[in-house]
Each structure stands twice: as structure tokens, then as C-alpha cells.
Amino acid sequence: MKFEDYPVAASPPQGANPCEHCALRRLEAFLPVTAQQLEAIQSFRTGTRRVEAGGTIVDEHRASPQLFTLYAGWAFRYKTLSDGRRQILGFLLPGDFIGLQDEFADGQTHGVEAVTDATLCAFARERLWALFQTQPRLGYDITWLAAREEKLVDDHLVTAGRRNAGERVAMLLMHLYRRAQRVGMVRDGWVEFPFNQQHIADALGLSLVHTNKTMRRLQRLGLYKLDGGWLRILEPHALETLGDYFERPLRPMPMI
Amino acid sequence: MKFEDYPVAASPPQGANPCEHCALRRLEAFLPVTAQQLEAIQSFRTGTRRVEAGGTIVDEHRASPQLFTLYAGWAFRYKTLSDGRRQILGFLLPGDFIGLQDEFADGQTHGVEAVTDATLCAFARERLWALFQTQPRLGYDITWLAAREEKLVDDHLVTAGRRNAGERVAMLLMHLYRRAQRVGMVRDGWVEFPFNQQHIADALGLSLVHTNKTMRRLQRLGLYKLDGGWLRILEPHALETLGDYFERPLRPMPMI
DNA sequence: CGTCCCGTTGAACAAATTCAATTACGGTGG
DNA sequence: CCACCGTAATTGAATTTGTTCAACGGGACG
């Protein structure tokens, strides 16, 4: 299977004014910003960070001095119980803001791990308050992002708490597909799907074996196809119905 | 069983400057505010609302034009699937801010229901952005509240996804107890516990019957006691260990 | 070619749900 | 004061869903 390159380069622009040439921000999924806001964001920004597939973006047990916006790649947030059981709290796509929760949680937070090679824009956490002061609009946008992320977790909690295995898988596939679609990661109906079944199991609160059997079943039913790390939804309506999950068209979201 | 009255009156102060006489805000759990901030909050405030036990604070399928701070009583956030299965997303105690998520979600949000009679301070959603502009600090505080609430949902998701029935109950009891303790709702080791087993089941993602059997078991083990709608934790350490959940001492939180 | 990771599958087992009563209790009307 | 009701808590039993255990296959890689 071959695919053209993703329109957004693997790394954010380098040089003096990287944010002004940010390809990610040009996507329709994101709200436009004024020149002044862009400048504020750019000065809030401290640099770029690369993390290879499987690497740690935020350590689960250490408060990170930085905030990030995921620029390219897939990542996820997770927590582990002391005996090793892991719960994936959510997946992260380009444009997602990372680390806000820790700002206010005294330790005891969550980890973030890259699934694919990932690139991130880093920001100094200590300058967050100054940003609110000088750019109230960006503060408001950050609240928007925090509220949106809570909504994602809310939905995820419904899945883990009240849906059965088949419904969980259906819901997750549609959810990830829709989000990827929004940021232009769908090509000819295929999305990169770099997760292994352990990721899915840990996200859905299922065992590895049962996840496998459930996914196999839905594939045999012809609802979706997985090939070489790429996903294609064959029966979106059937999956939405099964998962009782219908994503509405979304407004453009802010991006920091 | 008899208990003194809760120190915070059932309703916020009436009259010209209600926030200046707010008893809730005086609790150590909440950060102090400047006179200027208090005034801003007071002018952001539009009134008081009472909801009786079982009543709807926010309709699940209608965007509320108001935001609230719960002043007195217990409430919960929830979502229901189309076939009626309900997931409780979290419980609300005095001081909790309500409705922020909807600000940014195009419909498709969650409901809020009062468990006991409840009193709330109402705010005009449409003036939220103005508040961020004129009082960046309060904007920052609201972000704090949003991030904290996401953290609560994160923890809840771990519970629903990766803990077994006994662990879930243990975790929930300790969690509610600790939060109630923070806002002075614990009297002689007892907290009001107005939930029925269906609430617990819907919060934990368990069936009613299994919730009952699990709770019975933990009671027979002498870990906690429930009497006339009041809860007493008998073995906090055992419950924390079982639930693998250790609440750290918390910093005072902002209150709007 | 051997090893490791991952996906797949069957089988035994355990946890949780569903079904079906029964009991406890607060409130109401007689 | 007492019978009657409706709601919520309990409990046992049958059934289903999901987990654990074990084994095998294929592909990537050294």
C-alpha cells in the first residue's frame, strides 16, 4: 500500500518565525489567529522536540516543566495502577495540546507516550500565566481546549463503563477515524493506524485476547479493514450504529 | 443518627452583595480572592437557583445558557446511551463549577442532576468571554477548574476501565469521602451519602445486582458502614489499598 | 536460521449480568 | 394504630461476557 506524503511536514518549520509558516495551522480544522496572537504564541514557544515511536513525551510520575502541542504523529495519554494495569485515557493527534492538567495537579498525573515518531512544539509552563494576562483570548482558547479534552474523556468513560466489547471497538474506530479525517490524515479512505491490539485493549478496558476476538469478528463482518498499519472504514454507518456514536460536524478549534 | 447542621447554610446569602458574605468561600479548601475579583464574580453572577432532589440542573440534550457553581447539596454529571444505559461521569460537591464543557461543545453534552436538594449560583454564559478579558486571573482560575475536572474524569476512567468491582467501590467511597471532607461535610467521621445503589452502579459501570453484592461484601468485611443515608469509613487504609487510590493533600482550589 | 513481537485461536475459568423472587422501610389512607 | 404501596436493598440461580492460560503462526530482524 502506498500513500502520498501527509501534507503537513513531519516537523514544524525551523528558523526565526516558525509559527508564521506553520503548515498545521493552515488546516480548516483550526481557527485562524491574528498576527498579534501568532506573535504571542511564537514567543510563548520555546522549541521543537522529537520523540521516536514508543518514546516518552511526559513521564507518568514527574511533573513536566513544559507544555506541548503535538505537531505530527500519534500519541496517547495513560495511567498505570501500581500492579501494572494500564488505562489509556485518550489518543493524541496533531494540534492537540498536552500537559495542561499537570499545571494544576500536584504530581499524580498521567503519562504521554508517542506511538509513531512524533514532533512537538514546546512551551514554557511557567509563562502560561503571563500568556493569560497579555492575551486573554488565548487564555480563553486554552480553556476551550481543556473543556474539549474533558468531553473526550467523558465520552471515553461512557465507552469503558457502559458499552460491550463490540460497541467499544466500533466506537473507538469511528472516533479515531473522524478525528484523523479532520486534520487531513485520511488519504483515499485510509488512515494510518499504528496501534497494536494491546493499545486498543488498554484504551477500551478489555483484555488483549478479547480485544483480538472482537476485532476479528467485526472485520469478518466486513465493517472495516486493517492492512499494513492502515485502517479503512468499510461500513461507517454500521459502526456508528453499533457504537451508538454519531460525531457531529465540528467547529474549527483553537490551536496554540 | 443526629448531626449538627452543615456550617454552610443551605442557600447562598441574599441581598445586594451576596458573594461578599459567601460562607462557602470562607472554607480553607478555597483560595482567597481580592476585593476586585470578588466584585467581578459578583457582577458575573445572575442569581440563585434551587433544584429539589432528583431534579434536573442541566438537561442532557439542551445547551444551557447558564453556568453554575454548586453552593449546597450533591449532584452528578451523566450521559445516557440511546437505549437508556446511563453512565455517571462524576459527582459534584459544593464549590464545583458546572457547565463549562458545554461552552465549547456543539450540543451533544451531558446532563446534571441533583441528588439532594441543591442550591446553585448562576452565571451568564454569554459573559464568560468578557470575564476573561477584564479578569485574566479568573480566566486562569477557570482553566484550573477545567483541568482539575478532567483529572477527576481521568481517574474515574481508570476505575471503570481497569479496576474490578471491589476495587471500584473502594475507590469511589474513599474518593467521595475525601472530597466531602475537604468542604467540611464530614461530621464526627460521618458524611451524608444520599446515593442509591443505582447511582453507584451507573458511576462504576457495574450492574445494580453486582454493585449490591460487592458493597455488601465490603461492609461485611468491616471496611465501612452505611446508616440512614450516612457513610462512615471504618478502614480507610484498607479501602485505599484495595482501590490502589491514595489521595494526596490538595492545595486550595479556586472558586468562582 | 533462531528469536522476538504480535496477532490468532481454542479451552478452561472467573467475573459480572440477567432473571426472579423476597425482604426492608418510609409514607399514606383508613 | 395498622394494612397497603411503592421504592430500594438483598439474595440465589442461571446465563453471558470477558479473562486467563496455553499454544501456534507469520513476519521482521540480526
Side-chain angles (χ1 to χ4, degrees):
Chain A
M1 212 142 312
K2 293 189 98 182
F3 300 87
E4 310 93 286
D5 284 336
Y6 178 60
V8 176
S11 297
Q14 303 294 309
N17 301 313
C19 296
E20 290 175 17
H21 308 100
C22 178
L24 186 58
R25 189 180 294 283
R26 293 202 196 100
L27 296 174
E28 283 182 10
F30 302 106
L31 284 169
V33 291
T34 66
Q36 196 192 26
Q37 285 166 356
L38 193 68
E39 194 182 339
I41 291 172
Q42 196 159 259
S43 73
F44 181 37
R45 187 176 187 278
T46 57
T48 303
R49 173 144 170 237
R50 288 158 195 281
V51 178
E52 61 185 14
T56 298
I57 295 171
V58 176
D59 185 280
E60 187 176 1
H61 302 291
R62 203 173 356 254
S64 155
Q66 293 181 304
L67 298 165
F68 302 99
T69 289
L70 183 55
Y71 182 83
W74 288 88
F76 62 90
R77 303 192 304 117
Y78 67 96
K79 266 175 178 284
T80 47
L81 295 175
S82 60
D83 66 357
R85 281 175 286 179
R86 179 177 74 169
Q87 175 66 44
I88 288 183
L89 303 170
F91 294 100
L92 300 166
L93 278 78
D96 285 339
F97 198 55
I98 297 175
L100 200 54
Q101 305 84 6
D102 312 6
E103 175 68 13
F104 311 103
D106 316 80
Q108 202 175 15
T109 171
H110 62 263
V112 181
E113 183 177 316
V115 183
T116 61
D117 290 347
T119 336
L120 307 109
C121 296
F123 305 94
R125 179 186 295 284
E126 58 184 4
R127 294 217 293 272
L128 182 61
W129 164 227
L131 187 70
F132 270 72
Q133 284 174 290
T134 56
Q135 296 284 332
R137 180 71 219 181
L138 295 180
Y140 189 76
D141 287 347
I142 287 173
T143 305
W144 197 103
L145 292 172
R148 163 184 174 270
E149 192 158 300
E150 184 190 331
K151 237 186 70 64
L152 293 179
V153 188
D154 282 352
D155 284 343
H156 196 157
L157 175 55
V158 176
T159 298
R162 284 303 185 213
R163 280 185 244 250
N164 65 31
E167 295 166 345
R168 293 185 203 198
V169 170
M171 147 82 178
L172 182 66
L173 293 178
M174 287 312 299
H175 172 76
L176 291 179
Y177 187 84
R178 296 290 187 217
R179 280 176 69 195
Q181 196 169 38
R182 265 194 106 208
V183 290
M185 292 173 80
V186 172
R187 313 253 107 203
D188 294 327
W190 292 89
V191 215
E192 181 186 16
F193 195 82
F195 311 105
N196 62 30
Q197 296 186 343
Q198 189 66 61
H199 288 123
I200 309 296
D202 287 346
L204 297 180
L206 297 171
S207 71
L208 177 60
V209 172
H210 197 51
T211 300
N212 175 284
K213 288 174 181 171
T214 305
M215 292 183 74
R216 252 14 296 289
R217 182 164 57 83
L218 298 192
Q219 281 179 73
R220 268 193 295 268
L221 287 172
L223 302 188
Y224 73 94
K225 199 188 286 192
L226 216 40
D227 184 337
W230 289 75
L231 165 71
R232 184 186 192 96
I233 302 292
L234 298 175
E235 298 289 346
H237 186 65
L239 285 170
E240 285 178 335
T241 304
L242 175 57
D244 193 26
Y245 177 79
F246 304 87
E247 186 93 51
R248 306 213 189 151
L250 297 167
R251 282 182 294 179
M253 58 186 256
M255 193 191 114
I256 301 297
Chain B
M1 212 142 311
K2 294 187 99 181
F3 298 88
E4 311 92 285
D5 285 335
Y6 178 60
V8 177
S11 297
Q14 303 294 309
N17 300 311
C19 295
E20 288 175 15
H21 309 100
C22 178
L24 187 58
R25 188 180 297 283
R26 292 203 196 99
L27 296 175
E28 283 183 9
F30 301 107
L31 284 170
V33 290
T34 66
Q36 195 191 28
Q37 285 166 355
L38 193 66
E39 194 182 340
I41 290 173
Q42 196 159 258
S43 71
F44 181 38
R45 187 174 186 279
T46 57
T48 302
R49 174 146 169 235
R50 287 158 196 282
V51 178
E52 61 184 13
T56 298
I57 295 171
V58 176
D59 185 279
E60 187 176 3
H61 301 292
R62 203 174 356 254
S64 155
Q66 295 181 304
L67 299 165
F68 302 98
T69 289
L70 183 57
Y71 182 83
W74 289 86
F76 63 90
R77 303 192 306 117
Y78 66 96
K79 266 174 178 285
T80 47
L81 294 176
S82 61
D83 66 357
R85 279 175 286 179
R86 177 177 76 171
Q87 175 66 44
I88 288 183
L89 303 169
F91 294 100
L92 299 168
L93 279 77
D96 285 339
F97 199 54
I98 298 175
L100 200 54
Q101 305 84 5
D102 313 7
E103 176 66 14
F104 312 104
D106 316 81
Q108 203 176 14
T109 169
H110 62 263
V112 181
E113 183 177 316
V115 184
T116 61
D117 289 347
T119 334
L120 307 109
C121 297
F123 306 95
R125 180 186 293 286
E126 58 184 4
R127 294 217 293 271
L128 182 62
W129 163 226
L131 186 71
F132 269 73
Q133 284 175 290
T134 57
Q135 295 285 332
R137 180 71 219 182
L138 295 180
Y140 189 76
D141 287 345
I142 287 173
T143 304
W144 196 104
L145 291 172
R148 163 184 174 270
E149 192 158 299
E150 184 190 331
K151 236 185 71 63
L152 293 180
V153 188
D154 282 352
D155 285 343
H156 196 157
L157 175 55
V158 176
T159 297
R162 284 302 184 213
R163 281 186 245 249
N164 65 31
E167 295 166 346
R168 294 185 202 197
V169 170
M171 148 81 178
L172 182 66
L173 293 178
M174 287 313 299
H175 172 75
L176 290 180
Y177 187 85
R178 296 290 187 217
R179 280 177 67 195
Q181 197 169 40
R182 266 194 106 209
V183 291
M185 292 173 81
V186 172
R187 312 253 107 204
D188 293 326
W190 292 87
V191 216
E192 181 186 15
F193 195 81
F195 311 104
N196 61 31
Q197 297 186 345
Q198 188 66 62
H199 289 124
I200 309 296
D202 287 347
L204 297 179
L206 296 171
S207 70
L208 178 60
V209 172
H210 197 50
T211 299
N212 177 285
K213 288 175 180 170
T214 305
M215 290 183 75
R216 237 44 273 298
R217 183 164 57 83
L218 298 193
Q219 282 180 73
R220 269 194 295 269
L221 287 172
L223 302 187
Y224 73 95
K225 199 187 286 190
L226 216 40
D227 185 336
W230 289 74
L231 166 71
R232 184 185 191 97
I233 301 293
L234 298 175
E235 297 290 347
H237 185 65
L239 284 170
E240 285 178 335
T241 303
L242 176 57
D244 193 27
Y245 176 78
F246 305 87
E247 187 93 50
R248 306 214 190 150
L250 297 168
R251 281 182 294 178
M253 59 184 254
M255 192 191 112
I256 301 295

